[in-house]
Amino acid sequence: LVYVELPEVGRNLEVKDEAAVVESVKAASDVYSPVAGTVIEINGKLIDAPELVNTDPYGEGWLFKLKSDELNDMVGLLDPECYRSYIVSND
C-alpha cells in the first residue's frame, strides 16, 4: 500500500458503510465497516507508513477501532484462521 485514508474519530458507521480507503500503486479500494458503531481510534502510524497494513495486519497495521452498537453484529465475523481458510478455498 502507498496510501491509507482513515475515518474520523467519532464517526458513526453502519454495517457495510465505506469506512476507509486503501491505495496501492495500481488501484484504490474501499474498506467497509463490518459492524455498526462509532470510530473510537485510528492508527495514525499509517499516515507515514501505510505499508504496515501489508507487513503486520494483525499487529501494527490495524486501521481503526470501533465501539460496536450491537454485539450481535459480531456473531457472523470470521477470526483470522477462518478467514485464511476462506481465502485459500476460494482462490
Side-chain angles (χ1 to χ4, degrees):
L1 294 177
V2 295
Y3 176 75
V4 176
E5 181 180 315
L6 300 170
E8 291 183 27
V9 172
R11 180 175 170 199
N12 292 316
L13 297 168
E14 296 299 322
V15 175
K16 298 184 182 177
D17 275 355
E18 293 176 8
V21 177
V22 293
E23 291 185 21
S24 69
V25 175
K26 296 182 180 184
S29 298
D30 293 323
V31 176
Y32 300 96
S33 181
V35 297
T38 303
V39 177
I40 59 169
E41 189 176 350
I42 61 169
N43 186 354
K45 293 179 183 180
L46 299 180
I47 294 166
D48 293 325
E51 68 276 3
L52 288 172
V53 176
N54 294 334
T55 60
D56 192 15
Y58 297 110
E60 295 294 314
W62 59 275
L63 298 175
F64 57 92
K65 295 181 182 181
L66 286 173
K67 180 179 180 185
S68 176
D69 289 341
E70 180 59 56
L71 292 178
N72 288 334
D73 287 350
M74 307 277 220
V75 172
L77 299 179
L78 301 176
D79 64 30
E81 290 305 316
C82 288
Y83 185 67
R84 280 189 201 99
S85 294
Y86 175 80
I87 292 170
V88 171
S89 67
N90 287 301
D91 275 346

